[in-house]
Amino acid sequence: MFLPPAGFVLVHPITARTAIVAREGSAPGGPRFFAKRVASAHRGVAEAREMLVREGCILHLLAGSGHTAAPVADGADAAGPFLVTEMAAGRPVGNLAIGSTDEPTRELVAALLALHAVHAAADGEGPLEVVHGDLSPENLLVRAADGPLPCHVTVVDFELASYRDGGPPQDGSFRGTLRYAAPESAREGARTVRGDLFALGAIFYERFTGIPTRHREGPALILEVAEEPVDLRPASGLPTRVEGALARLLAFDPSGRAASAKEVLDQLA
């Protein structure tokens, strides 16, 4: 049973992950929010509690970036830790029709700008060193926008993120969405900027072409991700610059990948 934090009313469930349960809710008479708690089966698991607390810390630090959901309330009560954020506008990339854009270059630029805002964030003490660590089509939200770009991208779900003050255990285990993970993440559990860039490339290659970068299931998928380069097939109608950027993002060896989203943005300029 999901108990909404004091002052919020449960509307309906959004997701149910292994350790974190999320629900849509609202303050009486106010806008809708997104509330998360540790699932009841995991309330005694320190790592699950730390995930939620760390996500709240990261979102507070990224507040004002324009590309993440603003935190509204966080803390702990009798039911354990909770995090409430604004309900970010937009549709998940995974809910968009394949190839349903006439401007793939500018859509990819919008996504890279969002990721750059996360990776390059800093405060008075220096770089925050945020790495999302679990990018997927479900946690990149796209909405229409006015201005030079036709859309705006918001990055959500920082449960598995790391930053300068900590992150998930570095025990060599993989945590995240395997189908979009970088090879080194699958092999070693590494969480890096280049790993995020690989995931972004996998998401948008599939978004633009309808062709998944990975095709196997179960244990075979682990081996495919960890050991096999992505087989990039020619995409009809995709601009050459976008094809080149995706190929660079999806390089098997991280040393062959761009070191930052800005490098790819410069390539697309």
Side-chain angles (χ1 to χ4, degrees), residues 51-221:
M51 284 167 57
L52 196 56
V53 172
R54 185 171 56 247
E55 180 175 14
C57 291
I58 290 173
L59 289 179
H60 278 289
L61 289 167
L62 292 175
S65 71
H67 291 280
T68 56
V72 175
D74 59 324
D77 55 20
F82 63 84
L83 171 64
V84 182
T85 68
E86 66 178 7
M87 181 67 76
R91 297 175 63 195
V93 170
N95 289 1
L96 302 176
I98 297 297
S100 59
T101 177
D102 296 327
E103 302 184 84
T105 304
R106 295 206 284 175
E107 188 171 302
L108 181 57
V109 165
L112 286 163
L113 285 171
L115 195 55
H116 177 66
V118 169
H119 289 161
D123 63 8
E125 298 179 16
L128 296 177
E129 301 174 14
V130 177
V131 172
H132 188 281
D134 188 28
L135 288 178
S136 76
E138 304 311 312
N139 52 40
L140 293 176
L141 307 183
V142 181
R143 63 172 171 82
D146 297 324
L149 294 175
C151 63
H152 179 91
V153 174
T154 301
V155 186
V156 298
D157 291 337
F158 284 78
E159 297 149 16
L160 292 174
S162 61
Y163 72 125
R164 69 180 177 215
D165 292 337
Q170 296 292 315
D171 55 8
S173 299
F174 176 77
R175 295 169 175 82
T177 308
L178 184 59
R179 189 163 298 280
Y180 301 95
E184 65 276 12
S185 299
R187 289 194 302 269
E188 308 152 16
R191 296 179 180 280
T192 66
V193 167
R194 293 182 196 227
D196 277 358
L197 290 169
F198 184 98
L200 188 79
I203 292 163
F204 278 89
Y205 179 79
E206 184 176 338
R207 157 89 176 110
F208 295 148
T209 68
I211 304 170
T213 55
R214 303 301 186 183
H215 306 278
R216 299 177 191 165
E217 302 290 342
L221 175 61

